[in-house]
Amino acid sequence: MSFTIEDMMLTAENRYAMKFLAGQNGWANSISWVHLLEDTTIIQNFWGKELAVTTGLGFPDKEDWMQLAIQLNRHHASGLIINVGQYIHEVPEELKMYCDENDLPLLTVPWEVHLSDMIKDFSIHVFLQDSTDEQIASALIAAIESPDNQEAYRKELLQYFDVDGSFQVLLLTCEGLDAMDTVERRKLSYRIQMYLEDITHNASFFYYNSDFVLVANAITEEFLCQLAEGALKRGKKRMPGLELCVGIGSKCMDISQLSVSYQRAKAATYMAMRHKKQLVKFDECGLYRLLYMVKDEGILNEIETECLKELEEYDYKHNAGYVETLQSYLKHNGSIQAVAAELYTHRNTVLYRIGNIKKILNNELKTPDERLPYQIAFYIRNMQEEKTLDKAT
């Protein structure tokens, strides 16, 4: 819910005779601060989301303007305002084309505008919106942490969101995010927000509990997924050394259910990190939806042990490979031929093993109910093996 290029245009179009020339797809870019510059030196210190303003004094040639735009784009600026009429009278077409291609908003104001007044005006808006965003984030965190205590967040959020409407949480993370210092993480936050195009005032973005959190209100899941995919694509292009992962929680109704969507997004993010996937939607994770939501890992361990202990003990004594055989048997829905092919074992050997497995387990493994506990046990085992590998690396 930051102060955006669109917000700026609502007042600046009349107050400062501002015109939008190019980079229309960056309309929703948020602004972190406003800088007056006449060369590219200061751009090296940009964090992201800065709005650049120039009279054009330091950019006499077309090549200088192109270099300025390239540097602004490279450092994740939110836009460029040119004060036309003194040092520049006509904006180069190449500059407009570049800004369109890179979604970098390009705007102009006439020379008669007092830039100091305009910059002060925008800076005040940014400061006030930042303060509001912090209050909103605090209230949303209260909704996540203490959903039953609605007095702590509902009234605060009522003026910004449809609190009775739909909410959905999207989490973005990467390796080492929690270990970053505050400055480094803030810079990354600004850059990611630049990649989340077209989110205006029905969403909030903040850092919480080792992830970047996007809380979306009253938007379609299809749009949210497109937003995430676009952000990942732009992030990979502009930050090639950083592997972002996204987890999307279930859509829920009413702000009091925000914690449900958050917890599910957290589980989806964990799965994305574990399976090295860029994007995971919780609602598409099948049985893992249940297993990853279980907080008591002891219960999961007990289920796995109860189902597989006897086979493991038999394998330990006889080196029979029965656990592996059972896993393949369940995976292929009881097809002896498929198990034989996967394990490179003769069909008769597989039949013999399955017969012994049924005796050891005292279970014919014919019906879904008879097979389900063992299928769940193997799901749990896969989860535990992934965690073990993560700790080792």
Side-chain angles (χ1 to χ4, degrees):
M1 301 183 75
S2 303
F3 182 63
T4 67
I5 298 292
E6 180 182 9
D7 296 325
M8 178 183 70
M9 282 294 295
L10 289 175
T11 56
E13 190 170 12
N14 292 325
R15 185 178 299 175
Y16 303 112
M18 184 176 288
K19 294 182 179 179
F20 207 115
L21 296 189
Q24 186 71 34
N25 287 336
W27 183 258
N29 286 358
S30 54
I31 302 169
S32 65
W33 204 243
V34 187
H35 290 280
L36 179 64
L37 54 85
E38 299 301 347
D39 60 49
T40 60
T41 304
I42 192 175
I43 299 177
Q44 309 303 316
N45 298 318
F46 275 20
W47 284 22
K49 301 200 304 179
E50 288 89 351
L51 176 65
V53 181
T54 183
T55 64
L57 175 63
F59 308 100
D61 301 318
K62 179 177 65 177
E63 292 74 15
D64 299 317
W65 285 107
M66 295 304 299
Q67 186 60 33
L68 170 62
I70 290 169
Q71 290 294 321
L72 290 174
N73 185 52
R74 184 175 298 164
H75 288 83
H76 313 276
S78 62
L80 172 63
I81 299 176
I82 301 176
N83 190 206
V84 296
Q86 179 69 21
Y87 300 111
I88 179 170
H89 296 276
E90 187 174 350
V91 178
E93 288 299 319
E94 291 88 342
L95 178 62
K96 296 179 187 178
M97 292 175 59
Y98 179 85
C99 290
D100 273 332
E101 291 171 359
N102 292 275
D103 303 332
L104 179 67
L106 177 63
L107 310 101
T108 62
V109 293
W111 182 254
E112 293 74 25
V113 168
H114 294 284
L115 292 186
S116 59
D117 292 339
M118 183 186 75
I119 292 173
K120 179 180 178 181
D121 182 12
F122 295 161
S123 299
I124 291 173
H125 277 88
V126 170
F127 176 79
L128 293 175
Q129 187 60 58
D130 283 349
S131 179
T132 300
D133 287 345
E134 289 181 7
Q135 294 176 6
I136 293 171
S138 295
L140 290 170
I141 290 171
I144 291 170
E145 295 181 341
S146 306
D148 294 334
N149 184 18
Q150 296 195 37
E151 292 182 1
Y153 59 86
R154 194 174 194 92
K155 185 177 179 180
E156 179 74 31
L157 297 173
L158 183 61
Q159 56 185 316
Y160 305 110
F161 294 108
D162 175 13
V163 295
D164 301 316
S166 65
F167 285 87
Q168 195 162 11
V169 175
L170 180 152
L171 299 183
L172 298 99
T173 194
C174 63
E175 293 288 348
L177 179 60
D178 198 37
M180 294 180 184
D181 61 41
T182 302
V183 172
E184 188 179 9
R185 193 161 53 233
R186 180 69 65 85
K187 289 181 179 180
L188 180 57
S189 170
Y190 284 169
R191 292 174 180 181
I192 289 175
Q193 289 180 65
M194 291 294 295
Y195 305 152
L196 293 167
E197 293 181 346
D198 298 327
I199 279 289
T200 53
H201 297 92
N202 54 346
S204 180
F205 185 90
F206 53 92
Y207 177 77
Y208 169 68
N209 193 21
S210 304
D211 300 302
F212 292 119
V213 183
L214 180 70
V215 176
N217 174 225
I219 69 171
T220 66
E221 184 170 355
E222 180 183 7
F223 176 79
L224 187 64
C225 290
Q226 291 174 352
L227 188 77
E229 290 168 356
L232 288 169
K233 182 178 180 181
R234 285 183 289 277
K236 190 171 185 178
K237 178 181 179 182
R238 299 179 67 174
M239 295 187 295
L242 189 70
E243 292 292 335
L244 289 174
C245 289
V246 172
I248 300 179
S250 305
K251 180 175 286 189
C252 61
M253 294 301 297
D254 195 90
I255 187 62
S256 63
Q257 299 300 305
L258 183 66
S259 62
V260 174
S261 184
Y262 170 79
Q263 294 298 336
R264 294 180 178 183
K266 189 74 173 178
T269 305
Y270 182 84
M271 284 185 269
M273 294 288 285
R274 299 292 74 79
H275 294 279
K276 307 299 181 185
K277 293 184 178 180
Q278 280 201 301
L279 189 151
V280 171
K281 292 186 279 186
F282 180 85
D283 292 343
E284 296 181 356
C285 291
L287 184 61
Y288 281 117
R289 290 178 296 173
L290 174 63
L291 300 179
Y292 274 98
M293 293 300 290
V294 175
K295 301 300 182 184
D296 186 352
E297 291 194 10
I299 292 292
L300 299 178
N301 292 333
E302 288 176 15
I303 292 173
E304 180 193 358
T305 300
E306 289 171 2
C307 290
L308 302 178
K309 181 180 179 181
E310 291 180 287
L311 288 183
E312 287 184 326
E313 290 177 349
Y314 191 91
D315 281 348
Y316 180 77
K317 292 178 181 178
H318 304 283
N319 193 28
Y322 282 1
V323 172
E324 182 184 25
T325 301
L326 176 60
Q327 185 172 17
S328 181
Y329 182 76
L330 296 172
K331 173 184 174 181
H332 295 293
N333 197 29
S335 170
I336 300 299
Q337 192 66 36
V339 174
E342 182 178 41
L343 301 182
Y344 300 101
T345 305
H346 194 277
R347 185 175 184 278
N348 291 340
T349 303
V350 173
L351 282 170
Y352 174 77
R353 289 181 183 178
I354 294 299
N356 282 349
I357 289 171
K358 291 177 180 179
K359 291 177 183 178
I360 294 170
L361 299 179
N362 192 26
N363 187 328
E364 289 299 315
L365 301 174
K366 288 183 177 180
T367 68
D369 286 343
E370 289 174 335
R371 295 179 181 181
L372 181 60
Y374 303 99
Q375 291 173 321
I376 292 175
F378 282 116
Y379 272 107
I380 295 171
R381 172 160 293 193
N382 289 338
M383 289 172 55
Q384 304 295 3
E385 288 176 351
E386 289 166 7
K387 291 178 182 178
T388 301
L389 287 173
D390 292 335
K391 290 179 181 179
T393 56

